[in-house]
Amino acid sequence: MEDFTLEALGLAEAPRDHPLLYPGAWPADSALLDGDRLVPLPRDGRWHEDRAPVLAIGSNASPGQLRHKMAEFEITSPIPMVKARVTGVGVGVSAHVSRMGYVSASPFEAPDAVRELFVLWLDAEQLAVVDASEGVPLPNGNYGRAWLPVPEVRVELPGGRTLPGVHSYVNRHGVLHDGTGAPRTHPGQRELLTELLVGSARLRELFGVTPEEFVARARADRLLCEAGTRLFADEKRGTESGLERYVRGQQTGSPGTGSSLFPPLM
């Protein structure tokens, strides 16, 4: 009998617990996250009914991270994770330091970019939990939830079906640029932190000289993370993602109670 547990599949570790592993391990293909197991999607094709499609850019595509987020609010309903071909979005670097101890990913407008990413199909309770984890309900939260429409962003599911749009979390601080003013891509946490620390003496003063020191100092230190975020702005490391225009004012329900503004359903 095949073992579908996250532990057996090598997908159990959450970046929240192991920041240098960010964005975490992703599944090889579409699947259904059901508690501690990642099982094949049901064949009846009804798994997306009454659910909202959310594009996973960073650790939201990590089953270990998703399980961690849902467990905080005792949400046990399964989550379909569908691997899709996405055109028009790049995976950039958020211009803020997360209290989880890492510098996370954020989407940016990239008309010619084509890559495989996961679409999460979330019910109202699950959407409220992920919204809360990204700071959407807070006026000073790090992310806003955007509806990215066709034709600007094209999401093609297995079998060739194209979605009319998809939700994604856009960083309210913008994204880091590559030195030329264009958004830089996220290379993985250890490589990213090494490059950022080498490039800024002031960042080293705050967070140390190695990725391990950065993580140890940043985790759960709100004031230090806010200082790091301000430093990105002071050193003019950030730029707009190009997706800000799609973020609208929203009110969402508390995790576990459902959302008061449910998005368009497919």
Side-chain angles (χ1 to χ4, degrees):
M1 181 175 179
E2 189 170 354
D3 190 345
F4 290 109
T5 63
L6 297 187
E7 188 71 34
L9 297 172
L11 300 172
E13 292 185 327
R16 287 181 165 203
D17 296 326
H18 307 280
L20 288 178
L21 296 181
Y22 184 94
W26 293 8
D29 209 342
S30 301
L32 184 73
L33 177 63
D34 189 1
D36 190 41
R37 303 173 72 240
L38 195 72
V39 300
L41 281 174
R43 293 181 179 274
D44 60 15
R46 298 167 60 91
W47 41 262
H48 59 77
E49 290 185 355
D50 297 324
R51 289 174 175 265
V54 178
L55 187 63
I57 293 294
S59 63
N60 284 333
S62 162
Q65 188 90 321
L66 274 179
R67 178 184 61 173
H68 192 294
K69 289 185 179 186
M70 296 301 151
E72 276 191 288
F73 298 98
E74 299 182 348
I75 304 297
T76 59
S77 51
I79 299 177
M81 304 180 67
V82 179
K83 199 171 191 178
R85 180 181 174 88
V86 180
T87 303
V89 173
V91 179
V93 179
S94 300
H96 88 282
V97 180
S98 169
R99 279 187 285 170
M100 298 299 166
Y102 45 67
V103 179
S104 57
S106 185
F108 65 87
E109 187 175 35
D112 298 326
V114 180
R115 62 178 300 156
E116 289 187 327
L117 295 169
F118 279 89
V119 175
L120 313 178
W121 293 82
L122 305 180
D123 65 24
E125 285 190 323
Q126 294 164 349
L127 184 64
V129 168
V130 180
D131 273 357
S133 76
E134 305 295 350
V136 173
L138 304 175
N140 60 344
N142 291 312
Y143 290 88
R145 175 156 49 83
W147 176 255
L148 307 181
V150 167
E152 286 81 1
V153 174
R154 178 182 171 87
V155 179
E156 184 178 337
L157 302 179
R161 176 188 171 199
T162 299
L163 298 182
V166 67
H167 291 277
S168 188
Y169 294 98
V170 175
N171 199 280
R172 289 170 173 154
H173 304 281
V175 294
L176 299 185
H177 62 71
D178 62 3
T180 71
R184 65 167 297 166
T185 56
H186 202 301
Q189 197 61 206
R190 186 178 294 276
E191 182 179 346
L192 173 65
L193 293 182
T194 299
E195 292 176 5
L196 294 177
L197 290 168
V198 167
S200 173
R202 292 175 63 192
L203 199 65
R204 293 194 296 274
E205 290 175 5
L206 291 175
F207 294 99
V209 299
T210 67
E212 288 79 8
E213 287 181 286
F214 186 106
V215 165
R217 294 187 188 185
R219 291 192 74 181
D221 191 331
R222 178 179 60 83
L223 294 179
L224 181 60
C225 291
E226 289 175 354
T229 300
R230 289 194 301 272
L231 180 59
F232 287 153
D234 292 345
E235 294 189 338
K236 303 187 185 308
R237 291 185 171 222
T239 187
E240 291 187 348
S241 69
L243 300 174
E244 288 83 1
R245 65 189 183 276
Y246 299 114
V247 179
R248 300 175 180 175
Q250 299 172 8
Q251 290 183 338
T252 59
S254 300
T257 66
S259 173
S260 62
L261 179 60
F262 205 64
L265 296 177
M266 301 303 105

